[in-house]
Amino acid sequence: MAQSIRWAFNWKEWDPSEKEFSRAISCVQLEEKDRLDRFVFRKDVRASLVGRLLIRKFISEYAHIPYDKIVLARNKNNKPILENSGVNISFNVSHQGSYSILAGELRDVLLGVDIMKLEYTGGKQLSEFFRIMNRNLSPSEWKEVYGTSNCTEAEQVAMFCRHWALKESIVKALGIGIVTDLKSLDFRTNSKLVSDKVVCDTVLYQEGVKQDWLFEESLLDSEHCVAVALQESGKAPESQNKMFELLDYNELIMNTIPIHSEDEEYVKKYFNKSEKP
């Protein structure tokens, strides 16, 4: 049976020392290091850095490629890919809220993952936000979002975030970018998300036709939902029902090999950035 890997790391709670950050940044490729340097805020550097480290950890441990020999590139949609390996693995990362996450498969599949924090911080009235976003959800999806007459705003926000994570997961799996007509991706949920359980009965329709995909949904905690989209050879594979495993810093950095020398000036520059706006 194929093996599924699901990892999460709480980057928001990770307050690295200069030594920890210096070590971590030396373990990603130079072009990724330069890309991270362009972020204005420390929080964005950490969230993206953790994503890169999760990818390298997955490839090194499961594709058995020496850590310092892994070469990552990006496809035309800016999705990280393993270059010229000939290894049948699939992976995708996402970060939002407090976590960076990775979904990996030891097989060649279409795979996309997305995480959403179950909150609305847009400033406008929620009804106005939903009006602006109207064209991104189908009528049946909006019916799920609005729920029953006694549905609270928090419940509406949570269902909206759930649908958004589902849409992002398949967009990333297909590699088609945000130009997609999101309204045409019509998701029908059948079960509530509960802690410590993977929900696999959500169905996708396009133009009224049921699509052959597997969607694995779960809660990382009470504030974050995750959606994983999977398709193998044009069909929905069997779910491995794998919950996301929360890694700590030592597990994240275990067996890493620095790719370049540590950079004192880079580290100083990171710590001089503001944490957030």
Side-chain angles (χ1 to χ4, degrees):
M1 184 177 282
Q3 191 168 2
S4 301
I5 308 303
R6 304 286 185 264
W7 286 332
F9 183 90
N10 190 325
W11 60 262
K12 194 171 185 180
E13 290 185 356
W14 179 40
D15 184 20
S17 65
E18 288 191 11
K19 182 178 179 181
E20 283 181 347
F21 181 78
S22 182
R23 167 71 187 204
I25 206 70
S26 73
C27 294
V28 298
Q29 290 167 208
L30 285 172
E31 60 268 28
E32 294 291 351
K33 176 184 169 187
D34 292 341
R35 180 187 290 265
L36 293 168
D37 191 39
R38 295 197 286 271
F39 285 116
V40 175
F41 301 108
R42 286 203 309 266
K43 70 178 185 67
D44 298 314
V45 176
R46 290 202 310 286
S48 293
L49 170 58
V50 168
R52 302 282 80 74
L53 293 172
L54 287 170
I55 291 172
R56 299 189 75 87
K57 175 181 174 69
F58 172 66
I59 293 170
S60 129
E61 292 183 10
Y62 289 97
H64 307 296
I65 299 174
Y67 195 93
D68 54 345
K69 304 301 181 189
I70 297 167
V71 180
L72 293 171
R74 289 176 181 266
N75 65 16
K76 62 181 181 180
N77 293 305
N78 208 32
K79 186 176 181 179
I81 56 173
L82 180 58
E83 194 170 76
N84 301 326
S85 72
V87 178
N88 282 335
I89 62 170
S90 308
F91 59 87
N92 195 223
V93 293
S94 178
H95 61 80
Q96 211 259 341
S98 302
Y99 296 92
S100 297
I101 62 173
L102 173 139
E105 294 288 327
L106 305 189
R107 50 182 168 170
D108 186 14
V109 294
L110 293 177
L111 168 64
V113 65
D114 196 66
I115 177 172
M116 286 290 293
K117 187 170 185 184
L118 305 175
E119 66 175 1
Y120 171 63
T121 57
K124 299 180 175 66
Q125 290 284 333
L126 184 62
S127 57
E128 175 63 9
F129 172 71
F130 282 169
R131 186 191 68 78
I132 293 168
M133 297 298 290
N134 180 66
R135 62 189 177 87
N136 292 308
L137 269 63
S138 71
S140 65
E141 288 174 325
W142 279 118
K143 190 174 180 180
E144 289 192 20
V145 169
Y146 285 115
T148 59
S149 58
N150 61 353
C151 194
T152 66
E153 282 200 351
E155 289 171 329
Q156 292 176 353
V157 168
M159 184 57 82
F160 178 87
C161 291
R162 180 179 177 182
H163 276 285
W164 197 261
L166 285 163
K167 287 176 188 281
E168 286 285 349
S169 71
I170 193 167
V171 163
K172 292 173 72 176
L174 292 169
I176 48 181
I178 57 173
V179 296
T180 304
D181 176 14
L182 293 179
K183 198 171 190 174
S184 71
L185 301 171
D186 183 13
F187 284 94
R188 316 281 175 88
T189 67
N190 291 291
S191 299
K192 288 186 176 182
L193 299 185
V194 294
S195 60
D196 300 320
K197 183 180 179 182
V198 180
V199 169
C200 298
D201 57 3
T202 291
V203 179
L204 171 63
Y205 289 85
Q206 282 189 283
E207 297 181 355
V209 179
K210 182 180 176 182
Q211 304 298 301
D212 207 353
W213 282 79
L214 168 67
F215 298 96
E216 296 179 342
E217 298 178 88
S218 57
L219 294 172
L220 273 189
D221 58 23
S222 62
E223 297 182 331
H224 296 80
C225 74
V226 179
V228 181
L230 290 157
Q231 191 182 64
E232 185 175 23
S233 303
K235 295 186 179 297
E238 183 180 341
S239 174
Q240 306 297 301
N241 292 308
K242 184 87 171 181
M243 292 294 298
F244 277 79
E245 176 188 358
L246 186 61
L247 305 181
D248 61 25
Y249 172 74
N250 290 328
E251 291 168 319
L252 178 68
I253 212 75
M254 188 185 298
N255 301 322
T256 56
I257 299 173
I259 300 169
H260 46 81
S261 58
E262 297 192 16
D263 185 338
E264 187 176 333
E265 287 304 310
Y266 188 99
V267 174
K268 283 182 180 177
K269 193 173 178 182
Y270 165 78
F271 281 98
N272 283 332
K273 296 175 189 278
S274 297
E275 169 64 14
K276 59 184 179 181

